[in-house]
Amino acid sequence: ARYMESINVPVTELFWEESGKEPQLDRTVREGKVDQVFMFANQLSQRVDTNYKVRRIAVDHNVPLITNLQVGAMLSEAYA
């Protein structure tokens, strides 16, 4: 999110449902308020189940999902 903001691409940082913070990703996606999801996890991720849920919510609601860091960077630069 910080990188996108640094190149003047508007973003809204969303939070895991389990975090208790707002706005929550799952609810916001279900409400149709998300245009794209960037989800970068690695083999050291401690939130495997949550990461799966985030990917699944995006796909189930036909929201484009970017999971590759290099592709995300190129796409971000194209938006700028």
Side-chain angles (χ1 to χ4, degrees), residues 18-58:
E18 295 83 10
S19 74
K21 297 179 183 178
E22 293 287 338
Q24 293 182 358
L25 179 114
D26 56 334
R27 184 178 326 123
T28 306
V29 169
R30 287 187 186 107
E31 292 172 352
K33 297 179 180 177
V34 175
D35 296 317
Q36 190 160 30
V37 172
F38 288 81
M39 177 70 192
F40 307 122
N42 61 34
Q43 65 272 20
L44 302 176
S45 179
Q46 300 293 315
R47 297 185 173 126
V48 175
D49 290 336
T50 301
N51 293 345
Y52 172 78
K53 289 177 192 175
V54 169
R55 293 190 307 271
R56 186 64 199 231
I57 289 168

Side-chain angles (χ1 to χ4, degrees), residues 36-40 63-69 71-73 75 79:
Q36 190 160 30
V37 172
F38 288 81
M39 177 70 192
F40 307 122
V63 175
L65 173 66
I66 306 300
T67 60
N68 180 284
L69 186 58
V71 172
L75 190 56
Y79 287 154

